Amino acid sequence: MSRKKITIIDIQSKKEQQIPISMLTAYDYTGAMLVDMAEIDMILVGDSLGMVMMGLESTVPVTMDEMLHHCRAVARGAKFAHLVGDLPFMSYQAGKYDAVHNAGRLLKEGNTDSVKLEGGREVAEAVRAIVDAGIPVMGHLGLTPQSISKLGGFKAQGRTATAARRLVEDALTLEEAGCYAIVLEAVPAPVAAAITERLHIPTIGIGAGPNCDGQVLVFHDVLGLYDKVQPRFVKQYAKLQQPIIEAFAAFRDDVTGHRFPEKEHSFSMSAEELEAFHQSLGE
Ligand code: KIV
């Protein structure tokens, strides 16, 4: 069967058909190509790139220009997955104009198919304005890393009845504002299940238990490439850090031991040209 580009209609019909949705992050051309070859439904160019690609302590300093740079690279590699671009901190919080303008840039200049932003009722107006401009919006509730200062660290959210109730209300508000899907990050499984049950749009969980409509993980976490922050909800499907270090060290040993490059890695020239070359050097 020939593969088709995945649309938000396909994503939403997966919820109706109870087919789980898969999403991974990617940040560059090669990574996006690999994720796309694995037939993952959605690729998120997450602002987590600030941490795993740029070595920052949080996602807060990530800029629109950095997001656009990575979105463009990912868009060249991902031909089938639905591509979501993350709106970075302060690209939508200050007002509707910023929100629409920057969401538009992610589609026009970043070649993404939709955008994601963090927050509940406080971003509903921004969501409505972006959707009215014709741009699909994915919400993000629970642990919202752009608000790390306010949350006091990377901690699970919605663990009291009041906080859980507020999350349900926020999810309903985002749906009503026009979001086509919502990421639920680090919230108790029963709370994510209650939200998923009440929404018509899909929930994509990360540390939100098995009852969401889909699951998302970070590229580097899945491959075991980044261990600076390792939340317990991460599942490593490979441990590539050590094999990569070993490959680099083997290269270093070959270079220092004069074993690389070998004949098959080198270019030659005809005997006549070589002779003429030596003569030109006066040899
Ligand atoms: O930036 C990101 O990678 C995210 C995912 C963790 C959902 O927001």
Side-chain angles (χ1 to χ4, degrees):
M1 202 170 71
S2 68
R3 279 178 78 192
K4 285 199 308 241
K5 172 88 183 169
I6 296 189
T7 66
I8 61 169
I9 307 292
D10 299 323
I11 298 299
Q12 291 179 327
S13 78
K14 284 200 165 197
K15 178 173 177 118
E16 279 156 35
Q17 296 172 59
Q18 298 184 350
I19 302 171
I21 300 157
S22 56
M23 178 158 99
L24 283 174
T25 66
Y27 311 103
D28 64 11
Y29 170 76
T30 306
M33 228 171 47
L34 297 173
V35 173
D36 216 29
M37 282 175 184
E39 303 194 18
I40 299 294
D41 295 316
M42 308 179 86
I43 294 182
L44 169 67
V45 187
D47 60 357
S48 50
L49 65 85
M51 297 172 78
V52 297
M53 299 297 285
M54 294 163 63
L56 298 169
E57 293 297 319
S58 80
T59 60
V60 170
V62 174
T63 66
M64 267 304 291
D65 285 342
E66 285 157 355
M67 287 308 304
L68 287 168
H69 173 83
H70 287 274
C71 285
R72 280 192 290 267
V74 169
R76 286 182 211 113
K79 298 290 167 237
F80 302 104
H82 179 85
L83 187 56
V84 189
D86 231 353
L87 280 165
F89 182 54
M90 289 319 292
S91 67
Y92 57 92
Q93 287 89 343
K96 279 194 292 188
Y97 173 83
D98 276 2
V100 176
H101 174 71
N102 287 316
R105 289 193 72 197
L106 283 183
L107 260 72
K108 281 177 72 122
E109 298 172 45
N111 297 321
T112 64
D113 302 310
S114 67
V115 302
K116 176 170 85 58
L117 51 69
E118 297 181 6
R121 60 202 74 187
E122 69 282 6
V123 295
E125 213 184 313
V127 169
R128 224 169 266 122
I130 300 171
V131 173
D132 283 350
I135 300 169
V137 180
M138 173 179 273
H140 184 156
L141 288 171
L143 171 53
T144 45
Q146 293 176 10
S147 312
I148 203 69
S149 257
K150 192 166 108 184
L151 300 178
F154 292 97
K155 295 181 187 148
Q157 302 295 309
R159 299 183 84 179
T160 63
T162 311
R165 180 64 205 249
R166 195 177 160 86
L167 279 178
V168 175
E169 288 164 9
D170 277 339
L172 290 168
T173 303
L174 289 179
E175 176 174 74
E176 202 266 322
C179 281
Y180 73 91
I182 301 178
V183 166
L184 298 176
E185 178 165 355
V187 303
V191 178
I195 293 172
T196 303
E197 209 178 285
R198 282 164 178 74
L199 294 185
H200 298 101
I201 57 172
T203 58
I204 316 281
I206 174 161
N211 294 318
C212 294
D213 298 302
Q215 298 292 329
V216 54
L217 282 175
V218 166
F219 185 96
H220 292 59
D221 291 339
V222 170
L223 298 181
L225 291 172
Y226 177 90
D227 52 15
K228 211 166 148 192
V229 181
Q230 264 199 327
R232 58 181 273 211
F233 53 71
V234 164
K235 179 169 175 186
Q236 285 187 347
Y237 286 82
K239 293 189 189 304
L240 296 190
Q241 204 178 59
Q242 200 49 36
I244 289 173
I245 295 169
E246 281 165 18
F248 292 158
F251 165 70
R252 181 208 57 216
D253 288 348
D254 273 1
V255 170
T256 54
H258 303 280
R259 288 184 298 276
F260 178 83
E262 292 168 73
K263 205 167 171 202
E264 68 261 35
H265 308 120
S266 307
F267 297 102
S268 60
M269 60 201 290
S270 71
E272 299 82 62
E273 290 300 332
L274 187 57
E275 169 71 24
F277 173 57
H278 283 308
Q279 275 182 12
S280 78
L281 294 174
E283 290 170 357

